[in-house]
Amino acid sequence: MVNIKKLYLMAIVVLGLVILSGCNNKKTLLLLNWGEYLNEEVLIAFEKETGYTVVQDLADSNELFYSKIKSGTTAYDLVIPSDYMIHKMYEKDLLQEIDFTKLTNYDPVNNPFMEGVKGIQSEMFLNNERYAVPYFWGTFGIIYNKQKAGLEEAVLTHGWDAYFDKQFRPAGTRVAMYNVPRFAYSAAMFYNNLDPNVITEETIDIAYDTLLNAGFTEWGFDTLKKGIVANNLDMAFTYTGDFLDMLYTRLDAGDTLEDITFDIYIPQNTIAFMDALVIPKKARHVDAAHEFIDFLLRPEIAYLNASAIGYATPLQKSYDLIVSHLGDEDTWLNQWAYANQTYYPLPLETDVVKYKGTPLANIDQDWIDKITTMVNNVKSR
């Protein structure tokens, strides 16, 4: 069993572009990935079984993924961008269709994708399924500090109102926002019951007033989840995976669920995201890319990958394997199963909508620039 410690110990092989440019061996797979986003045991198992050498390059934003693929300086064989960036790459004719006849483990009948994944796919561009195979997925939520008196009740009762409106939360609550303008704008739209993928001059003004009046004490990235855990912050809008990252870290250090002093509330209307495997048009090792995708579609491999990364598996069978550990004598397995079942629950038969969240759509750069300016104006006040 791979535990969360390996998230930090994972030795990802990162070679520079000079080395990458020299990788013309047909048994090589050039992968562009996020940092700490592939279980080393999975990588080793694939290389041992197939004889391929996987060479990873890393990027820390979807925008950097795009610029690397657009420039074509390195002919990556496989990339793992997020939903809206997959749309942009598709529109710019940078992707090739997946050949599903080569994916022996793709089985939407006996091993379907999770309902959350299918929900995200249903809201992406037409025929996105032909170009992208889900890798991990998830939602955003409001992580909160249970040590702040009255805050948990306020969050669970009022949701977005508690996050944005001071009258719905305890006095002195320290609230923070993820420092990505598109995320901040989207949160403001959810609070106002508006579509985060519709951007007009009027909605930008609404977002400005909403964000300004929220009284944020911090705009940050990883600092937010750490601030909540350290009792330096009380609420923040973050990836649910950020919360799970901190939860698993604490559990792995020996804490029990009863010791955990923070939790996350995931509204029905929030951001949902999906990172997926895509093959660029300029890929040179297309068969290798398909073999790796097929390898990752094995339930036991997706399970192994999720055990180290902490985000939600896209495959139903892998999820079933994880939650089968509920009540297991192994504390780690039991708590891992609990976390998946609690924060990525299966929909009830009576649920009209089978998933939470809205994926962000690809938006013209002019509107992204206007949102960025609006957020910068809020932060400077």
Side-chain angles (χ1 to χ4, degrees):
M1 173 61 196
V2 177
N3 63 34
I4 198 63
K5 290 178 180 174
K6 293 194 176 178
L7 179 65
Y8 304 103
L9 298 175
M10 189 165 56
I12 295 176
V13 178
V14 182
L15 300 179
L17 292 179
V18 173
I19 296 175
L20 286 175
S21 63
C23 291
N24 52 10
N25 184 333
K26 66 180 181 179
K27 295 298 287 184
T28 297
L29 171 67
L30 303 186
L31 172 64
L32 179 59
N33 195 5
W34 303 87
E36 300 179 336
Y37 213 42
L38 175 62
N39 186 342
E40 187 186 27
E41 291 191 17
V42 170
L43 182 63
I44 292 172
F46 175 74
E47 291 181 328
K48 185 176 180 180
E49 179 175 306
T50 65
Y52 283 108
T53 297
V54 179
V55 179
Q56 286 197 88
D57 193 12
L58 306 182
D60 60 6
S61 72
N62 276 296
E63 287 65 31
L64 187 53
F65 276 22
Y66 176 77
S67 66
K68 283 175 174 280
I69 300 305
K70 183 73 165 57
S71 73
T73 303
T74 300
Y76 293 105
D77 302 309
L78 203 54
V79 191
I80 311 179
S82 304
D83 32 58
Y84 74 93
M85 190 53 67
I86 294 170
H87 189 185
K88 184 173 182 177
M89 289 179 178
Y90 165 78
E91 287 189 330
K92 297 298 183 182
D93 198 26
L94 297 175
L95 304 179
Q96 58 179 284
E97 285 195 43
I98 304 291
D99 184 350
F100 283 88
T101 66
K102 296 181 178 179
L103 304 182
T104 60
N105 296 306
Y106 175 70
D107 187 351
V109 175
N110 298 307
N111 186 24
F113 293 126
M114 300 286 290
E115 289 294 341
V117 172
K118 290 190 285 189
I120 293 170
Q121 289 178 318
S122 71
E123 296 194 31
M124 290 176 62
F125 62 95
L126 185 64
N127 294 324
N128 68 85
E129 298 92 342
R130 289 160 47 184
Y131 293 86
V133 175
Y135 182 69
F136 282 115
W137 67 287
T139 54
F140 279 63
I142 302 171
I143 186 173
Y144 60 90
N145 181 1
K146 296 169 69 173
Q147 298 178 82
K148 176 69 175 177
L151 181 58
E152 182 169 42
E153 180 181 3
V155 172
L156 298 182
T157 302
H158 302 295
W160 281 118
D161 286 342
Y163 182 73
F164 277 109
D165 193 332
K166 297 175 184 175
Q167 69 175 312
F168 290 104
R169 64 196 188 218
T173 299
R174 300 159 295 182
V175 187
M177 171 57 79
Y178 210 90
N179 193 17
V180 172
R182 187 76 191 280
F183 297 167
Y185 173 84
S186 298
M189 292 299 98
F190 290 127
Y191 167 67
N192 288 288
N193 294 314
L194 296 171
D195 187 339
N197 290 318
V198 173
I199 304 174
T200 66
E201 297 290 353
E202 181 183 7
T203 59
I204 289 177
D205 288 342
I206 292 172
Y208 174 82
D209 290 338
T210 300
L211 296 171
L212 186 64
N213 292 329
F216 296 132
T217 57
E218 181 178 337
W219 293 71
F221 299 97
D222 284 350
T223 55
L224 302 185
K225 60 184 181 184
K226 295 174 182 175
I228 297 287
V229 174
N231 197 21
N232 294 325
L233 275 176
D234 297 316
M235 272 198 295
F237 182 56
T238 69
Y239 288 94
T240 301
D242 279 355
F243 160 76
L244 292 173
D245 178 16
M246 301 309 296
L247 176 66
Y248 293 150
T249 299
R250 289 288 299 272
L251 295 177
D252 215 43
D255 288 341
T256 66
L257 291 170
E258 290 72 26
D259 299 323
I260 303 302
T261 58
F262 53 95
D263 206 339
I264 191 167
Y265 169 75
I266 306 172
Q268 186 67 37
N269 56 340
T270 187
I271 298 173
F273 76 92
M274 178 184 73
D275 296 333
L277 300 142
V278 300
I279 303 177
K281 276 207 165 175
K282 292 183 179 179
R284 290 183 298 179
H285 310 116
V286 176
D287 285 341
H290 281 91
E291 283 197 52
F292 194 51
I293 293 173
D294 199 37
F295 190 74
L296 292 169
L297 284 172
R298 294 182 190 174
E300 66 276 17
I301 296 299
Y303 166 95
L304 185 61
N305 207 23
S307 73
I309 305 305
Y311 281 87
T313 176
L315 296 172
Q316 181 67 56
K317 277 191 174 180
S318 304
Y319 179 86
D320 292 342
L321 285 171
I322 294 169
V323 298
S324 71
H325 293 302
L326 278 171
D328 198 293
E329 291 184 358
D330 184 306
T331 302
W332 163 253
L333 289 175
N334 178 47
Q335 293 174 336
W336 184 37
Y338 166 83
N340 273 269
Q341 188 178 64
T342 302
Y343 301 103
Y344 295 106
L346 296 179
L348 302 174
E349 289 186 6
T350 54
D351 288 341
V352 176
V353 179
K354 302 295 184 183
Y355 58 96
K356 283 189 176 184
T358 301
L360 301 184
N362 183 34
I363 300 294
D364 288 345
Q365 188 60 45
D366 287 348
W367 286 114
I368 297 296
D369 292 343
K370 289 183 179 182
I371 289 174
T372 300
T373 299
M374 177 272 292
V375 168
N376 287 338
N377 289 338
V378 171
K379 292 160 63 178
S380 66
R381 290 290 299 271

